[in-house]
Amino acid sequence: MPTSENIRTSLIGLDREALKTALIAAGVSQKSVAMRVNQLWNWIYVHGARDFASMTNLAKDFRTLLENSFTLERPQIVTAQVSEDGTRKWLLKTGAGIEFETVYIPEEGRGTLCVSSQVGCTLNCRFCHTGTQKLVRNLNPDEILGQLLIAKDALDDWPSTAPGRKVTNIVMMGMGEPLYNFDNVKAALAIVMDGDALALSKRRVTLSTAGVVPMIARAGSEIGSSLAISLHAVRDEIRDAIVPINKKYPIAELIEACRTYPGASNARRITFEYVMLKGVNDSIADARALVKLVAGIPAKINLIPFNPWPGAPYECSDWSQIEKFAEIVNRAGYASPVRTPRGRDIMAACGQLKSESVKVSAAARAAREAGPVDPREQTKAASQSERPEGEAMDKIQSGQLARMPQ
Ligand code: SAH
């Protein structure tokens, strides 16, 4: 039975038009609705209001109307971890079996939030831990934005317009492929980049894709954020093996989409991410081929030391090899920062995110929500997730990762 709690509509993630429609349906007059939308927008996204009672400049009866129909609830925090290097990771939950992670990386003068777009992933990149978790479902706009709201709450980072903000950058580099959840990512990022809402400029918001080529131009014209490409190899036979989406959209098509990306310029370069895998893609010949491949594109190349995870079939390149590789890229005129691994001790570094959520059938989910779990369903669900085994799994269960969804 739905409770009065969960039939209230969340206002988080609605655009202004949808917010207006929701308010009118709840009884707000046409005459005052534009003003009400502005007031709510400001409370929710500039001040981070978590309930209607705190909106002190709104009339009491209007606040009561809001309370009766709507909610501003955040995702539930399942675990909050802090790395020895200050990186923070939250495991969040928005329903039975819907768990996802978000990571905050503080640096000198800036703080980056790494946001998830899906629970699990369909891409199966061989070096990526998230890739071992089957897709459960796309995250909704409120769940994508909820990650930022939770981080800002925890960091005491309101109002959004204050100087010295703690979350200064957003990267869509958490769990999932953002361009396979285009509409919801677009809706959430529009609010992130709205100057009257979370107010992060488009230069400070980066969407990373493994190469969903047909969506890249749309991302440029409709979302307008900065773009990062998970390139990771310069020859199709290697990229086919480590980033399987390459079989569908090979390197030449991907590079062509980057050449024509709307809004790319020397001031707004495309980032090419390149994970350093020992003996796989890290030769000097690969480095030379890489600079040839991106020639003519306003680009920077981000070398990512491979972050290990239990059962991963790769090793990180030797440091000396990473340096040689970076030097070639650098000498060709490209910035080639080596990404410092952050939060490895809490499995929060690039490619280490994963939750224990598994896709279950609607019937099994309903049964699970209604009462005691049928052990047969439990076995079925468990067998669908490819869990790392043995000692490594124990390590994860002892706190590096999530709990099983209840
Ligand atoms: N699906 C999107 C968003 C994920 S971004 C994409 O592929 O771009 C996460 C970044 O970390 C990607 O560049 C991904 O390829 C990289 N990555 C994945 N596993 C990694 C690992 N184990 N070590 C280092 N980087 C990894």
Side-chain angles (χ1 to χ4, degrees), residues 311-388:
Y314 298 105
E315 273 180 73
C316 184
S317 308
D318 294 331
W319 195 252
S320 59
Q321 190 63 19
I322 298 180
E323 282 181 337
K324 280 185 213 148
F325 198 103
E327 202 184 313
I328 290 169
V329 175
N330 234 313
R331 266 200 260 122
Y334 295 96
S336 57
V338 178
R339 196 178 286 176
T340 315
R342 297 290 304 263
R344 275 185 177 174
D345 56 324
I346 55 165
M347 294 287 286
C350 293
Q352 292 186 315
L353 304 188
K354 184 179 181 183
S355 74
E356 294 292 332
S357 297
V358 290
K359 187 163 192 159
V360 288
S361 67
R365 193 184 300 277
R368 194 205 266 179
E369 274 160 14
V373 179
D374 177 345
R376 282 164 308 177
E377 287 300 344
Q378 252 178 347
T379 321
K380 205 162 95 192
S383 70
Q384 287 177 358
S385 81
E386 296 156 35
R387 294 224 204 92

Side-chain angles (χ1 to χ4, degrees), residues 136-153:
V136 178
R137 73 157 166 79
N138 285 338
L139 292 175
N140 296 322
D142 62 320
E143 295 169 321
I144 297 170
L145 278 171
Q147 298 171 59
L148 178 53
L149 302 184
I150 290 268
K152 286 176 76 74
D153 292 347

Side-chain angles (χ1 to χ4, degrees), residues 123 127-128 172-174 176-178 208-210 230 232 273 275 304-307 309 350-351:
L123 292 173
F127 47 82
C128 180
M172 294 303 298
M173 295 188 187
E177 168 52 52
S208 180
T209 178
S230 294
H232 305 318
E273 297 159 280
V275 65
I304 316 178
F306 169 67
N307 293 306
W309 41 271
C350 293

